[in-house]
Amino acid sequence: MTIAFNANHLVFLLQGAGWTLVLSLIAFAGGGLLGFIVALCRISPVRALRWLSTAYVQLVQGTPLLILMFLSYFGLSIAGLSLPALVAAGISMTIYVSAYIGEIWRGCIQAVPRTQWEAAECLALSRVQRMGLVVLPQALRIATPPTVGFMVQIVKNTSLASVVGFVELARAGQVVNNSLFEPFLVYMLVAGLYFLLCFPLSWWSRQLERRLLVAHRVEVATA
């Protein structure tokens, strides 16, 4: 008997989209916190911290996210630590995001004009005060557009969480297609839901980039 696409299938896909959003938020929150630490270590005056953070970034960026998923879920279970699929996927995504976000934010911190650093030093501010009061507020404005743009990649990369049994949007589409055998219809709906999740972020990123460019031109004109 042929099963037609119905409201239950759509609800299941929407639930998968919801879990995709949850995993994306976990990855961004955890990866952002860890990435901020990585960014600070990358510009630290302590050579050991710079080396360790550089090695961490190179290792994570050189490792496919799929492998991180396998290590978090199956590797830890072999070691006797059995994690739920959401936790394993969240850990993997957090590690992955931290390496890339850390590099984005490190570049934005170093993009702050050197004169600002020197002016803060002339005011006899400590390094913590220079970072907190002068450098980071300016770096935040620079970092916002690329950070929002990278969130699109986070949303799309959650599709790999299906390998550890986590039912997000891509996995939900696969389950629905296995019951209907209508791949074109199902995956068009999946693509549409991904678009609804990602397009607002892409649009927001472009708007922020335009505002940053306009603000920069105004500063140059008034300088």
Side-chain angles (χ1 to χ4, degrees):
M1 183 178 63
T2 302
I3 301 176
F5 185 85
N6 54 50
N8 291 329
H9 296 121
L10 181 59
V11 169
F12 189 69
L13 291 177
L14 292 175
Q15 289 175 343
W19 283 112
T20 291
L21 188 59
V22 169
L23 182 56
S24 299
L25 292 175
I26 292 173
F28 182 73
L33 179 61
L34 185 56
F36 181 66
I37 296 174
V38 170
L40 294 180
C41 289
R42 290 279 281 121
I43 61 172
S44 172
V46 181
R47 182 178 299 179
L49 288 178
R50 292 201 307 270
W51 285 357
L52 287 174
S53 58
T54 300
Y56 172 82
V57 169
Q58 294 298 323
L59 177 63
V60 174
Q61 290 188 352
T63 304
L65 178 56
L66 190 64
I67 300 301
L68 293 177
M69 293 281 185
F70 282 134
L71 290 175
S72 297
Y73 190 72
F74 299 108
L76 293 178
S77 63
I78 293 176
L81 183 60
S82 181
L83 298 177
L86 176 60
V87 176
I91 292 173
S92 304
M93 291 290 296
T94 295
I95 294 172
Y96 178 82
V97 169
S98 68
Y100 287 90
I101 284 287
E103 278 297 275
I104 291 173
W105 290 351
R106 187 269 307 168
C108 293
I109 293 173
Q110 293 181 327
V112 174
R114 195 65 193 173
T115 53
Q116 297 295 314
W117 297 71
E118 295 170 352
E121 291 177 0
C122 292
L123 294 174
L125 299 178
S126 67
R127 180 173 177 83
V128 174
Q129 290 175 324
R130 292 198 302 269
M131 293 297 294
L133 299 176
V134 179
V135 177
L136 290 182
Q138 298 182 67
L140 177 63
R141 188 182 65 174
I142 301 172
T144 301
T147 300
V148 174
F150 184 71
M151 290 173 66
V152 176
Q153 300 301 319
I154 297 176
V155 172
K156 292 190 291 187
N157 283 333
T158 57
S159 61
L160 294 176
S162 60
V163 300
V164 297
F166 182 68
V167 183
E168 37 65 60
L169 180 54
R171 177 59 178 168
Q174 184 180 19
V175 171
V176 171
N177 181 63
N178 289 342
S179 66
L180 295 178
F181 300 104
E182 295 185 16
F184 183 79
L185 171 62
V186 172
Y187 287 112
M188 281 294 292
L189 288 173
V190 170
L193 290 173
Y194 271 117
F195 177 80
L196 292 177
L197 290 174
C198 294
F199 178 75
L201 294 174
S202 299
W203 178 84
W204 188 23
S205 177
R206 289 194 298 271
Q207 293 297 113
L208 290 172
E209 287 177 355
R210 292 193 185 100
R211 291 179 184 177
L212 179 61
L213 181 60
V214 171
H216 176 71
R217 288 176 177 172
V218 171
E219 289 176 357
V220 172
T222 58

